[in-house]
């Protein structure tokens, strides 16, 4: 479709489009995932991206696109890295013909108290991409045109290229909507009937991750491809995406980010995966490999031991509460992690897994804490400072992260906490373990990967 760039810094006319909405629940994931799958069916190489810290939507994107779903979050990595990370993702492992970026929340909703910083609109500006607005038209007529115009006029720097009408009630309803949007000069690129909706099962933190329901996930993505191919003008979307200006920034490079291999040794770093630990950014493994590690996935639900020669372990987020009994049943791996002599880094689900018990079910016992589910959602961006030296941090080092959980631990932090924010201590640093609820994106602080590899080699 387009000529790939000659080098990582050469201008690249990468077609790209941002799928946004006035608010959550309008159907962004339906349209974005369906677009990825439908365009791939056409023989195009598609690059999937997600605005914000979300781990679950990128799993569906990856299934639809056949390559890793990647996040674009200015809060977590810095706005200067957004376009380079887009270019890296769109060129890895092969150059893409088009990038589809799913937004987060409403188009202009950013980090609380910081205007539109980290919003979909912010990211659209940073990557120079036109916006395709998904409108839930339930109980709405001509006002849909006013809503679309308002979303575009609120920030003239964001270019609204068209809309997809979602949950349209009838052919008459669709005609009314199209006429109103034509009056407003807003192109309609698709219309999805209310009866045609495809739903993926959800849980308390959002959609159920792809890894937990592989056959069903394939069926959902196939249905979304059928839906979008039959209701959205794909040629019009491709034409819109082609209006994006060339990318002139160089691609993000994990080797440059970590400063190259940490030494001659190539220690094994075990990265938790499987259905219980699905939350991991693609760049984590890339940074560890760039720092010289051999990254091997371990599934705590199935694997009885860590990979041979493991020098460090990384256990990210997920839903251990949904698999507590199965995790407990793998007693051999729990015992090995309890006594593992190397560094261990754990975020959220990993924190719970390393404790003594989760909702009364025995876990690894590496940390002297218990955890339980609650009815309260803890959610939001955090500005943290490392409270102490650890395998991935140096004391007083600032980092930006994100919390998203419905559990609590007792105690809430150790004698040597991992982080401090809002005047309070959080997490645990103990015996080579760094564990907390805070999710971080290592592209924003790549020194963590290098330090962990250095510690693993020791």
């Amino acid at each position: 479709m387009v000529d790939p760039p000659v080098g990582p810094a050469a201008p690249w006319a990468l077609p790209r489009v941002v799928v946004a909405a006035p608010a959550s629940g309008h159907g962004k994931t339906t349209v974005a995932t369906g677009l990825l799958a439908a365009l791939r069916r056409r023989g195009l190489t598609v690059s999937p991206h997600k605005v914000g810290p979300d781990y679950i939507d990128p799993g569906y994107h990856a299934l639809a696109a056949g390559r890793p779903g990647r996040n674009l979050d200015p809060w977590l990595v810095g706005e200067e890295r957004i376009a380079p990370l887009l270019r890296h993702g769109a060129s890895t492992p092969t150059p893409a013909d088009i990038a589809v970026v799913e937004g987060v929340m409403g188009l202009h909703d950013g980090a609380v108290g910081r205007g539109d910083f980290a919003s979909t609109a912010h990211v659209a500006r940073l990557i120079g991409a036109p916006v395709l607005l998904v409108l839930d038209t339930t109980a709405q007529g001509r006002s849909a045109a006013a809503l679309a115009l308002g979303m575009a006029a609120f920030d003239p720097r964001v270019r609204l290229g068209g809309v997809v009408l979602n949950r349209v009630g009838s052919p008459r309803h669709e005609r009314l909507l199209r006429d109103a949007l034509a009056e407003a000069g807003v192109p309609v690129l698709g219309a999805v009937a209310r009866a045609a909706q495809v739903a993926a099962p959800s849980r308390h933190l959002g959609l159920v991750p792809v890894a937990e329901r592989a056959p069903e996930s394939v069926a959902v993505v196939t249905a979304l491809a059928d839906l979008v191919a039959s209701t959205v003008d794909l040629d019009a979307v491709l034409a819109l995406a082609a209006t994006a200006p060339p990318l002139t920034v160089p691609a993000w490079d994990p080797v440059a980010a970590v400063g190259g291999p940490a030494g001659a040794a190539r220690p094994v770093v075990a990265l938790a995966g499987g259905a219980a630990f699905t939350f991991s950014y693609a760049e984590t493994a890339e940074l560890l490999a760039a720092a010289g590690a051999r990254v091997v996935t371990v599934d705590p639900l199935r694997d009885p031991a860590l990979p041979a020669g493991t020098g460090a372990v990384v256990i990210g987020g997920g839903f251990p509460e949904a698999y507590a009994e199965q995790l407990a049943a793998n007693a051999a791996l729990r015992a090995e992690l309890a006594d593992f002599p190397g560094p261990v880094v754990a975020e959220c689900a990993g924190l719970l897994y390393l404790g003594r018990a989760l909702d009364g079910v025995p876990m690894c016992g590496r940390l002297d804490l218990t955890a339980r589910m609650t009815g309260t959602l803890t959610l939001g961006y955090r500005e943290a400072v490392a409270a102490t030296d650890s395998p991935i941090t140096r004391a007083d080092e600032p980092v930006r992260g994100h919390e998203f959980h419905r559990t609590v631990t007792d105690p809430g932090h150790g004698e040597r906490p991992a982080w401090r924010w809002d005047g309070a201590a959080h997490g645990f640093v103990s015996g080579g373990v760094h564990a907390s609820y805070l999710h971080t994106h290592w592209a924003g602080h790549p020194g963590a990967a290098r330090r962990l590899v250095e510690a693993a080699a020791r």
Side-chain angles (χ1 to χ4, degrees), residues 266-273 293-300 302-315 330 332-333 336-337 340-343 353 456:
R266 294 202 62 217
V268 173
V269 175
L271 185 63
R294 287 187 292 133
V295 182
V296 182
T297 300
V298 59
D299 183 351
R302 303 178 182 275
D303 296 328
L306 293 172
T310 294
V313 180
V314 178
I315 312 173
N330 191 353
L333 183 62
E336 184 175 1
L337 284 168
F340 180 70
Y353 182 51

Side-chain angles (χ1 to χ4, degrees), residues 365-401:
R366 180 66 182 263
L367 295 173
D368 188 18
L369 64 88
T370 59
R372 59 182 173 83
M373 289 292 298
T374 73
T376 302
L377 175 62
T378 300
L379 166 69
Y381 286 127
R382 306 289 183 247
E383 277 192 289
V385 173
T388 185
D389 289 343
S390 80
I392 60 168
T393 61
R394 296 295 176 267
D396 299 325
E397 209 169 43
V399 66
R400 284 180 167 183

Side-chain angles (χ1 to χ4, degrees), residues 108-456:
H108 300 288
D109 298 327
V112 175
R114 294 180 178 268
D116 82 337
F117 192 93
S119 69
T120 302
H122 185 200
V123 170
R125 296 197 306 268
L126 291 172
I127 65 174
V131 168
L132 179 61
L133 192 69
V134 181
L135 289 177
D136 180 354
T137 62
T138 303
Q140 198 170 47
R142 287 174 55 82
S143 295
L147 177 57
L149 282 179
M151 297 302 292
F154 189 76
D155 185 351
R157 297 171 296 174
V158 177
R159 180 161 58 94
L160 177 61
V163 302
V164 171
L165 307 173
N166 194 23
R167 303 185 182 113
V168 177
S170 67
R172 182 172 178 232
H173 186 208
E174 180 179 341
R175 175 47 52 200
L176 184 155
L177 292 164
R178 285 183 178 272
D179 288 347
L181 284 154
E183 286 182 43
V186 179
V188 175
L189 275 57
V192 182
R194 201 172 300 160
Q197 293 301 306
V198 178
S202 62
R203 187 183 288 151
H204 54 269
L205 296 184
L207 297 179
V208 175
V210 164
E212 295 191 35
R213 48 189 303 274
E216 296 87 350
S217 298
V218 171
V220 166
V221 170
T222 299
L224 289 174
D226 294 339
L227 176 66
V228 168
S230 63
T231 58
V232 175
D233 186 341
L234 297 181
D235 289 328
V237 174
L238 290 170
L240 174 62
T243 65
L247 286 172
T248 57
V249 297
W252 177 81
D253 180 6
V255 176
V258 297
R266 294 202 62 217
V268 173
V269 175
L271 185 63
F277 298 98
T278 56
F279 295 2
S280 181
Y281 296 121
E283 291 81 5
T284 298
E286 291 173 340
L287 286 163
L288 288 168
R294 287 187 292 133
V295 182
V296 182
T297 300
V298 59
D299 183 351
L301 290 176
R302 303 178 182 275
D303 296 328
L306 293 172
T310 294
V313 180
V314 178
I315 312 173
F319 291 105
E321 66 274 12
Y323 295 93
E325 297 291 346
Q326 294 97 311
L327 290 169
N330 191 353
L333 183 62
R334 288 194 293 116
E336 184 175 1
L337 284 168
D339 296 327
F340 180 70
V344 180
V345 178
E347 290 185 351
C348 202
L351 165 69
L352 309 183
Y353 182 51
L354 291 180
R356 287 189 284 111
L358 171 57
D359 283 334
V361 179
M363 294 288 111
C364 296
R366 180 66 182 263
L367 295 173
D368 188 18
L369 64 88
T370 59
R372 59 182 173 83
M373 289 292 298
T374 73
T376 302
L377 175 62
T378 300
L379 166 69
Y381 286 127
R382 306 289 183 247
E383 277 192 289
V385 173
T388 185
D389 289 343
S390 80
I392 60 168
T393 61
R394 296 295 176 267
D396 299 325
E397 209 169 43
V399 66
R400 284 180 167 183
H402 184 259
E403 274 193 294
F404 199 50
H405 58 91
R406 288 188 184 273
T407 59
V408 295
T409 65
D410 182 18
H413 61 84
E415 292 183 8
R416 297 178 66 213
W419 310 106
R420 293 188 184 278
W421 69 75
D422 294 340
H426 302 267
F428 303 78
V429 174
S430 173
V433 172
H434 182 285
S436 76
Y437 276 118
L438 194 68
H439 292 289
T440 59
H441 195 310
W442 285 4
H445 56 118
R450 184 177 183 89
R451 288 166 187 158
L452 185 62
V453 173
E454 289 172 344

